[in-house]
Amino acid sequence: MRSQIQRLALAAGIAVACAAPSVFAADNPMVGGAPMYANKTIVENASAAKDLSTLVAAVKAAGLVETLSGKGPFTVFAPSNQAFEKLPAGTVDTLLKPENKAKLTKLLTYHVVPGTYTSTQLTAAARSSGGTSTLKTVQGEALTVKLQDGKVWVVDAKGGKASVTTADVKQSNGVVHVVDGVLMPK
């Protein structure tokens, strides 16, 4: 009887040990097929996510790699590749040209808010203000966070909306919320 209990205890211990990596994986959400690690920077994680390759190319073209690799903290509303594909044909190629670096920088910094805002904080702020709240971006203009249809939406200066598709991707220098649209400043 005692040896059977010992074997069960050993089997349970092995099962727990084998399950441990998947528990840790839950702390590292997947974006674009890659785990996002809380101890890596926004740029390091985004560079690993195939669904954020257009954003990474734009960040590089705008010269913002060092900034988004810095201490922060930042909240980034990161448009997926599919979000960029919704833009009119040729828009991304045009923005990536060196002569459009200022426009690209303005667009990208409009997706960045100083500080760390989790989805819980964004939702609470919107609820306490009647369903919407405002955040000032690094670019200087405001974004509106809106609760609608059980989702968190981000509304840009032109009235365009993007929903948060993956929330609370923790980074060493902030948090990323993947969005399904590119937000446009004035």
Side-chain angles (χ1 to χ4, degrees):
M1 176 82 165
R2 186 176 177 116
S3 64
Q4 186 178 12
I5 292 172
Q6 288 173 331
R7 275 184 272 160
L8 287 173
L10 177 61
I14 291 171
V16 168
C18 290
S22 63
V23 170
F24 289 108
D27 290 336
N28 300 313
M30 300 291 280
V31 175
M36 300 289 104
Y37 297 101
N39 65 342
K40 291 190 175 186
T41 68
I42 292 166
V43 172
E44 289 171 324
N45 275 324
S47 294
K50 67 181 178 185
D51 290 352
L52 299 177
S53 62
T54 304
L55 176 63
V56 171
V59 166
K60 289 178 181 177
L64 295 172
V65 170
E66 188 174 324
T67 301
L68 291 175
S69 296
K71 184 177 178 181
F74 304 108
T75 297
V76 176
F77 295 99
S80 65
N81 291 350
Q82 289 177 331
F84 281 104
E85 290 169 7
K86 292 178 185 178
L87 295 174
T91 301
V92 174
D93 290 336
T94 299
L95 285 170
L96 293 176
K97 292 181 179 178
E99 62 268 21
N100 294 319
K101 184 177 179 180
K103 283 183 182 179
L104 180 61
T105 300
K106 180 179 179 179
L107 176 73
L108 293 175
T109 56
Y110 188 62
H111 289 77
V112 181
V113 176
T116 300
Y117 296 93
T118 65
S119 62
T120 301
Q121 291 169 314
L122 293 171
T123 300
R127 280 195 179 127
S128 71
S129 301
T132 63
S133 65
T134 304
L135 299 169
K136 187 172 181 181
T137 68
V138 169
Q139 181 263 353
E141 293 180 43
L143 287 173
T144 301
V145 175
K146 181 177 184 175
L147 304 177
Q148 184 179 352
D149 303 326
K151 293 183 179 183
V152 175
W153 294 82
V154 186
V155 183
D156 65 27
K158 295 184 177 183
K161 293 179 4 180
S163 70
V164 175
T165 58
T166 305
D168 299 329
V169 184
K170 294 177 183 155
Q171 319 285 302
S172 65
N173 59 345
V175 65
V176 169
H177 304 289
V178 180
V179 294
D180 67 356
V182 178
L183 303 164
M184 297 293 180
K186 288 182 185 176

